[in-house]
Every structure is written in structure tokens, then in C-alpha cells.
Amino acid sequence: MENKFIIAFTGKANAGKDTCGSIIHYINNVGISKAKYEEWKKLYNSNKLSNNFHFATNVKRCLSIMFGVAVELFDDREYKDKKYYCIEEHRFINKNQLDTRKYEEITIEHLREHTLKDSIHNLKCFDRTAVVTLRTLMQYFATEIGRNQIHDNIWIHNTISNVRTYLERSNKVATITDLRFYGEAEAICKQDCITYIVRVNRPDKEESFNHISEQGGFDVDYTIDNTSSLMALFYKVVKMYQELIIG
């Protein structure tokens, strides 16, 4: 695919990867000479820039079906990181309102050694009720179940196919904003178009969840330090677009 690009963003949680992807799509729509921060911000705040691709899309869809949780909640930072989901009671509980005498969190570290089913059962034996974050459920299902027990590339092929279809429909640049594993990076770089892997760093806000999905293990082509304002990030992405896409 001549003159087509895939930009894949990697970095820890909350680093700003989806935000960078939305800026890329805005520039594609209006042209780099007409790109204005205030205009982009209005579109971004109204959720009108949502063309980013994610390897985790099908993970979220599967979990939504299995647990009866609305799929959009897996992208909601409030639900993903600040609430627990109680599988037994089918409800969310705010972290700061959790009764620790009754409930106990199942962590990703625990799920590396025990299945979710066994973890819930073991806590019941001690008259405790299990709770888990949506982020932990995603990490567990995507890696410990999907990649480790079914196939290393189980989440890759569908995403790459969707990206290729998007580019074949006259779109110039596709963005993937949740690159984490070497196999994902390898699949991206094998495509017959121009590919870039971009790391986004945000030391003051990003969070580490101590999971293999955050360990990377691949080279990057460009680094963006998201260390200031949203406006500063916007113009850093504009500069990157100028250097990588326009040249």
C-alpha cells in the first residue's frame, strides 16, 4: 500500500496514547496547515475523533458478553481503575467505599497462579466475596487466558485486518493506540506500508500495573514526552506528523 501509514503508540496506562491518536486523525481531516488546538480540543471533548484501533477491542467485547458489563465501561477510566466489579453480586463498588471486612480484591499477581474461578471459590471458603477491577479482568483474559492458553497472536489478526481495510478505503494514516507486545509490533512492521512505533511518556500521570503487557521489548521510532499541557502535547504531535508523514 503505497503512501499509507500505520502509527502505533506504546506506553504505560494514562500516558496519552489515545489522545495522540485523536490528534493524528484531526490533522488528517483538516490538513496540517489548518490544524488548530482549540478546534481539535472541542472535537476531542465531544468524542468526535474515535478512529483509533486497539488490539484490546475484542477482549472488551468478549468480557462484556461474559459478565454483562456494558462494553463502553471498559474504556471508562472511572470504572476501569476506580471501581471494583463484584462478579457474585453483578455490581460495581467504589474503591473508597469497599467494606474490607466482607470483600477482598483479586489482583493480577494472584491470577498468575490461580484461575479466576478458583480465586472466587477460595475466598468463599473464608466467608469473603471477591472483587476485581475491569483492568485486571482485561489483563487476565487477554494474556493469561487468550495469549497463554489459546494462541500468542489471538488478538492480533483481526485488528490488523481491520487496519488494512481502513487504509484500503482511501484513508492515509491508521493509528493503533495500545501496542504492548513484541508480537503486535512485529505484525505491524510486516505490513506493506510505512510503519512507525511511537512511545508516549508521561512520568507524572502514567501508572504501572505490574503486568507483562507493560514490558514492551521492541524498538521505537519516535518518542513523545507528554510532560506539560494538553496544548503542548498537541503541537508535539503536529511536529511528529510533519517529520514522519510529510517529511
Side-chain angles (χ1 to χ4, degrees):
M1 290 185 283
E2 190 175 354
N3 294 323
K4 302 284 186 173
F5 298 82
I6 298 174
I7 300 179
F9 292 95
T10 188
K12 292 185 178 179
N14 301 329
K17 302 182 294 294
D18 278 309
T19 304
C20 290
S22 78
I23 298 169
I24 294 292
H25 288 290
Y26 167 72
I27 298 171
N28 281 338
N29 291 337
V30 304
I32 194 166
S33 64
K34 296 180 180 180
K36 306 297 182 185
Y37 168 72
E38 290 298 337
E39 182 183 42
W40 165 78
K41 187 178 178 182
K42 288 179 182 178
L43 293 170
Y44 179 67
N45 289 339
S46 60
N47 295 316
K48 292 182 179 179
L49 294 166
S50 57
N51 290 326
N52 293 325
F53 290 92
H54 303 86
F55 287 111
T57 293
N58 286 332
V59 175
K60 297 167 188 175
R61 288 173 178 167
C62 290
L63 289 171
S64 175
I65 293 168
M66 288 190 292
F67 293 104
V69 175
V71 70
E72 59 266 21
L73 296 185
F74 289 92
D75 289 316
D76 188 315
R77 227 174 275 285
E78 183 75 20
Y79 279 85
K80 189 163 57 175
D81 294 323
K82 296 182 180 180
K83 294 179 185 285
Y84 290 118
Y85 183 65
C86 181
I87 296 171
E88 296 290 291
E89 299 174 0
H90 305 289
R91 71 184 182 103
F92 286 95
I93 305 172
N94 289 329
K95 283 188 174 183
N96 58 9
Q97 297 175 351
L98 187 72
D99 183 352
T100 55
R101 296 168 297 180
K102 178 181 178 182
Y103 299 97
E104 186 169 331
E105 179 185 7
I106 298 176
T107 65
I108 193 63
E109 289 81 11
H110 187 83
L111 291 173
R112 291 195 189 106
E113 305 295 331
H114 309 276
T115 67
L116 181 59
K117 178 181 178 180
D118 286 345
S119 300
I120 293 172
H121 175 75
N122 291 340
L123 285 176
K124 273 186 174 181
C125 293
F126 294 95
D127 199 27
R128 309 277 284 173
T129 302
V131 294
V132 64
T133 66
L134 293 186
R135 185 180 294 278
T136 294
L137 277 179
M138 286 190 286
Q139 290 176 332
Y140 172 67
F141 185 67
T143 304
E144 273 66 35
I145 301 299
R147 294 182 74 253
N148 292 350
Q149 296 188 40
I150 300 176
H151 195 282
D152 283 344
N153 297 333
I154 187 171
W155 310 115
I156 295 177
H157 300 309
N158 180 255
T159 302
I160 294 297
S161 176
N162 290 338
V163 167
R164 291 186 62 84
T165 299
Y166 177 81
L167 290 174
E168 288 165 0
R169 291 175 178 168
S170 301
N171 295 292
K172 183 176 182 179
V173 184
T175 55
I176 300 173
T177 55
D178 64 345
L179 172 60
R180 293 183 174 89
F181 292 100
Y182 175 82
E184 295 169 349
E186 184 179 42
I188 291 167
C189 294
K190 284 182 177 179
Q191 301 310 304
D192 57 341
C193 59
I194 302 169
T195 62
Y196 295 110
I197 295 176
V198 178
R199 182 178 302 282
V200 183
N201 296 322
R202 192 183 183 188
D204 61 324
K205 294 290 185 180
E206 65 190 19
E207 298 179 56
S208 177
F209 293 91
N210 193 29
H211 188 253
I212 190 174
S213 63
E214 294 196 329
Q215 294 178 6
F218 44 82
D219 295 330
V220 301
D221 302 297
Y222 199 95
T223 299
I224 293 176
D225 290 321
N226 182 13
T227 55
S228 184
S229 64
L230 192 60
M231 180 184 289
L233 177 63
F234 176 84
Y235 286 107
K236 285 182 179 181
V237 176
V238 171
K239 179 176 181 289
M240 180 191 74
Y241 191 99
Q242 175 71 51
E243 294 176 5
L244 299 185
I245 308 301
I246 297 177

